[in-house]
Amino acid sequence: MSKNQSKRRRGYSFERVCVIYSPKYTAGRASLQSRIKQLYGKLNKNFLCDKKNSIIDEINKTIIDWNAEFSPRNEIDLHGMTREAALDYVEKKVEERGHIDDLTIITGQGHHSKDNQPVIKQGLLKKFRSRVQVNTENPGKLVLVKRQKLK
């Protein structure tokens, strides 16, 4: 077993990484945040259940579409999604990828959630248990560690 393999089994090591995003990414992110804020504003003003559900669906779809266009290959950002939609989306992405690489999942820290609880993060920790590592420098970022092949 190599040194890196034994290190991985003990736990995921987070390194300080400086990520420089392109102007297109930065503009896309700003546009997404503006759109999500607008949709949540509509959601809070609307009292009809069917209309609320369609707005929630639009929020989740907008975030999924943004990830498809802008997110790096090994990263997804779930900010703004509902817990159920986020868990379904991560499961779908893991199935699509075939567990070939680690997947960085940005969940946020729950500052905009009810009672400031990170519901998406908690759901992922429960669902994927030992395969999820929390970034100690940024608790709103998780890494879903790829499955090791059995020999």
Side-chain angles (χ1 to χ4, degrees):
M1 180 181 327
S2 76
K3 199 176 203 180
N4 286 341
Q5 287 173 325
S6 66
K7 191 177 194 179
R8 179 181 295 276
R9 289 180 190 224
R10 286 194 302 268
Y12 196 86
S13 173
F14 291 97
E15 299 171 4
R16 187 176 284 279
V17 176
C18 179
V19 177
I20 300 173
Y21 294 107
S22 71
K24 182 180 176 185
Y25 176 95
T26 304
R29 184 80 187 139
S31 175
L32 172 72
Q33 290 170 333
S34 174
R35 180 69 180 139
I36 297 304
K37 185 175 181 178
Q38 178 188 41
L39 288 168
Y40 271 106
K42 282 174 62 177
L43 184 65
N44 292 333
K45 291 178 186 174
N46 205 311
F47 299 107
L48 300 175
C49 189
D50 289 342
K51 184 67 175 168
K52 280 189 173 194
N53 287 338
S54 72
I55 294 170
I56 289 169
D57 290 344
E58 187 176 350
I59 290 168
N60 291 324
K61 183 182 180 328
T62 300
I63 295 167
I64 289 168
D65 291 347
W66 183 87
N67 275 292
E69 184 174 348
F70 291 102
S71 282
R73 189 173 78 80
N74 295 332
E75 181 179 287
I76 54 176
D77 189 335
L78 307 177
H79 277 101
M81 290 185 85
T82 62
R83 179 183 185 273
E84 294 76 21
L87 294 176
D88 289 346
Y89 178 57
V90 170
E91 189 167 358
K92 179 183 170 202
K93 292 302 282 183
V94 168
E95 287 174 8
E96 282 176 9
R97 298 165 54 82
H99 310 283
I100 58 170
D101 290 316
D102 294 345
L103 178 64
T104 299
I105 305 168
I106 302 168
T107 64
Q109 297 180 35
H111 296 302
H112 301 288
S113 297
K114 186 177 180 185
D115 300 324
N116 289 324
Q117 294 298 310
V119 295
I120 294 173
K121 176 181 169 182
Q122 291 170 349
L124 290 169
L125 289 169
K126 184 176 180 181
K127 184 172 191 125
F128 292 101
R129 293 186 177 88
S130 62
R131 290 185 52 212
V132 176
Q133 303 290 325
V134 179
N135 185 324
T136 54
E137 291 185 19
N138 180 352
K141 193 179 269 193
L142 307 173
V143 173
L144 180 59
V145 180
K146 71 178 179 179
R147 285 194 173 150
Q148 299 296 319
K149 290 183 181 179
L150 298 175
K151 293 183 181 184

